[in-house]
Amino acid sequence: MNFKQGDIVKLNFPFSDDPSKSKLRPATIISNSDSNKLDADLILLPVTTTIRITPFSFLLDNSFLSRSLPKDSEIRCNKIFTLRKFLIQGKVSSINDKNKIEEISNLVFEAIKKED
């Protein structure tokens, strides 16, 4: 299966207190097609139903998704990780609005930019 920037996918996340256990959870692909072609890794951000509304939160709205999510959710733009493509269990939805993908990218940049 081919994945693209803005896809919301499901994968097994290990529990932080017990890495031997995991749970199927959603994440958003933020790497672009140029990056995705380089190797078998994707860059992702976790999606959670625990709404925190921090400076690095991006609230997902079903109005700009290809398929509605069952619960209100947010992307945690300061929790960047990579994952091998073969570990993805399937696609849940996709962000259809390029402006929203740019907003997410900007939040990621804010989380990693050089401090003054």
Side-chain angles (χ1 to χ4, degrees):
M1 178 176 242
N2 287 328
F3 300 105
K4 65 181 185 358
Q5 188 177 54
D7 283 349
I8 300 171
V9 296
K10 55 185 174 181
L11 52 105
N12 279 311
F13 269 94
F15 288 112
S16 57
D17 60 344
D18 186 355
S20 68
K21 296 180 183 176
S22 64
K23 186 173 181 179
L24 200 60
R25 297 204 181 265
T28 303
I29 298 171
I30 59 163
S31 48
N32 61 34
S33 58
D34 291 336
S35 176
N36 295 344
K37 290 177 198 171
L38 290 177
D39 56 32
D41 290 333
L42 297 169
I43 304 170
L44 300 103
L45 300 169
V47 174
T48 180
T49 57
T50 303
I51 307 299
R52 291 174 178 83
I53 309 183
T54 72
F56 306 110
S57 299
F58 181 85
L59 294 176
L60 289 169
D61 186 317
N62 287 327
S63 69
F64 55 77
L65 299 178
S66 63
R67 256 180 266 144
S68 295
L69 298 178
K71 294 183 178 182
D72 291 340
S73 301
E74 75 174 28
I75 299 172
R76 301 200 56 207
C77 297
N78 63 327
K79 301 293 181 187
I80 307 156
F81 66 98
T82 61
L83 187 79
R84 295 283 176 176
K85 293 173 189 171
F86 75 88
L87 293 171
I88 292 177
Q89 308 268 326
K91 185 172 151 182
V92 175
S93 187
S94 206
I95 299 170
N96 292 328
D97 186 329
K98 297 291 181 192
N99 292 327
K100 300 300 181 187
I101 293 172
E102 186 173 352
E103 286 179 42
I104 294 164
S105 297
N106 289 338
L107 288 171
V108 170
F109 176 73
E110 286 297 316
I112 63 170
K113 74 178 182 181
K114 183 180 176 210
E115 295 185 66
D116 296 330

